[in-house]
Amino acid sequence: MSANSKLSIAIHILTLLHVRRPEAISSAFIAGSVNTNPVVIRRLLADLVEAGLVSTQKGVNGGYQLKRSADSITLAEVFLALKETSVFGLHVAKPNPLCSVGKTIESKLSTVYNQIDETLLSSLNEKKISDFTP
Amino acid sequence: MSANSKLSIAIHILTLLHVRRPEAISSAFIAGSVNTNPVVIRRLLADLVEAGLVSTQKGVNGGYQLKRSADSITLAEVFLALKETSVFGLHVAKPNPLCSVGKTIESKLSTVYNQIDETLLSSLNEKKISDFTP
DNA sequence: GCCAGAGTACTCGGATAATCCATGTCCGAGTGCGTACGG
DNA sequence: CCGTACGCACTCGGACATGGATTATCCGAGTACTCTGGC
């Protein structure tokens, strides 16, 4: 899965948990709907569990359940839960500080990216999981 | 380089070309400032050349040059030149159409993502390459 | 002294190897249900 | 007939291979400067 499709899959999962509520859903079942491998689902759900959006239960009749109501979960929360700190990444290797551009570019980029991220998060904040129910 | 750092590097390059104008700059020199491999620079610049932002010249004293003024190039243009169509990707594998959620999720996601992309592009449109000069 | 021509150095661009990350497979840990046995 | 205890099936979660994509190296094509030789 390309890195930036994680949000799509996360939304898909949460919508599914919402529709099936209060049933506990297994990663295998979710994978069948998303059309991918159960491990991908589990890895992604680990982040959502950590963020407190989902609860998990091992064993027979176990699986995943929404911990909160679907209309209280915004896409911004989901996005942050996935630890995708910013849509744009800075340089992987530090630019050359001996170059006048390289020395200053990262701080200037950060400023711009922070503004953009704020705008993006406020957009994401207006959408809820319940908006995706069929 | 992680996929989403391409914009950072592109901005870095264009800023460098602007500062050094009207000199022709080689990919090796740029790579020294960005701190990566010249091939990475060349591949990225191929997109910018194709988009008409940069001109290229082989041979001695050759290199890359800005074709337009730095204050006329917006980040939105650069972003589009890199062919990064959207910050968020849809599912790589088609969701299961037999599932009610899977059947409708992609069109709902597209609607939301399109709105977000518009917002993002208008943000990017307000910033220019000249904003990054040291 | 001046001009011409060949050589050389430097550049981009594409083809090929190497590395890295995401994905898939496997196995262990934990839980709840079902069943069987004893009272 | 009822209760308890054991076994089994099903689930998540982490460790280890595998494949594709990104990155780095190599080689070819093109251009301009320079140097040398002849006039």
Side-chain angles (χ1 to χ4, degrees):
Chain A
M1 103 183 126
S2 79
N4 58 357
S5 71
K6 283 176 74 173
L7 185 65
S8 294
I9 297 181
I11 293 172
H12 188 149
I13 293 172
L14 293 172
T15 305
L16 199 57
L17 294 183
H18 170 54
V19 170
R20 287 273 173 168
R21 190 200 294 269
E23 209 178 332
I25 309 293
S26 74
S27 61
F29 182 89
I30 299 172
S33 174
V34 177
N35 191 19
T36 183
N37 197 286
V39 152
V40 175
I41 304 297
R42 289 205 278 265
R43 279 202 255 268
L44 220 159
L45 271 165
D47 286 338
L48 302 181
V49 169
E50 190 181 336
L53 300 178
V54 174
S55 65
T56 173
Q57 179 60 42
K58 288 186 178 181
V60 178
N61 290 349
Y64 298 91
Q65 284 173 303
L66 267 190
K67 280 183 80 172
R68 293 173 31 197
S69 67
D71 58 0
S72 76
I73 300 178
T74 68
L75 298 200
E77 281 184 276
V78 179
F79 178 74
L80 293 175
L82 299 177
K83 298 167 184 170
E84 306 271 336
T85 48
S86 174
V87 286
F88 297 123
L90 294 176
H91 302 58
V92 278
K94 288 292 165 201
N96 189 345
L98 299 178
C99 169
S100 63
V101 174
K103 190 167 52 183
T104 58
I105 191 82
E106 288 207 303
S107 71
K108 288 177 182 291
L109 281 172
S110 293
T111 305
V112 171
Y113 288 171
N114 283 340
Q115 291 175 18
I116 290 176
D117 284 340
E118 278 180 35
T119 307
L120 177 77
L121 281 177
S122 69
S123 294
L124 287 175
N125 211 42
E126 293 168 6
K127 301 289 177 182
K128 305 165 186 172
I129 291 299
S130 52
D131 295 335
F132 293 90
T133 50
Chain B
M1 106 184 123
S2 78
N4 59 357
S5 71
K6 283 177 73 174
L7 184 65
S8 293
I9 297 181
I11 293 172
H12 188 147
I13 294 173
L14 293 172
T15 304
L16 200 55
L17 295 183
H18 169 54
V19 170
R20 288 272 174 168
R21 189 199 296 267
E23 209 179 331
I25 308 293
S26 74
S27 61
F29 182 89
I30 299 172
S33 175
V34 177
N35 191 18
T36 182
N37 197 285
V39 164
V40 174
I41 304 297
R42 289 206 277 267
R43 277 203 255 274
L44 220 160
L45 272 165
D47 287 338
L48 302 182
V49 168
E50 190 181 337
L53 300 178
V54 174
S55 65
T56 172
Q57 178 59 42
K58 286 187 180 180
V60 177
N61 291 348
Y64 298 92
Q65 284 172 304
L66 268 190
K67 280 182 79 173
R68 292 171 34 196
S69 67
D71 57 359
S72 76
I73 301 178
T74 69
L75 297 199
E77 281 185 274
V78 179
F79 178 75
L80 293 175
L82 297 177
K83 298 166 183 169
E84 305 270 335
T85 47
S86 173
V87 287
F88 297 123
L90 293 175
H91 301 57
V92 278
K94 288 292 166 203
N96 189 345
L98 299 177
C99 170
S100 63
V101 175
K103 190 166 54 182
T104 59
I105 191 83
E106 288 209 303
S107 71
K108 288 177 182 289
L109 280 173
S110 293
T111 306
V112 171
Y113 287 173
N114 284 339
Q115 291 174 18
I116 290 176
D117 284 340
E118 277 180 33
T119 307
L120 178 76
L121 280 177
S122 69
S123 294
L124 288 175
N125 212 41
E126 294 169 6
K127 300 290 177 181
K128 305 165 186 172
I129 291 299
S130 51
D131 295 335
F132 293 91
T133 52

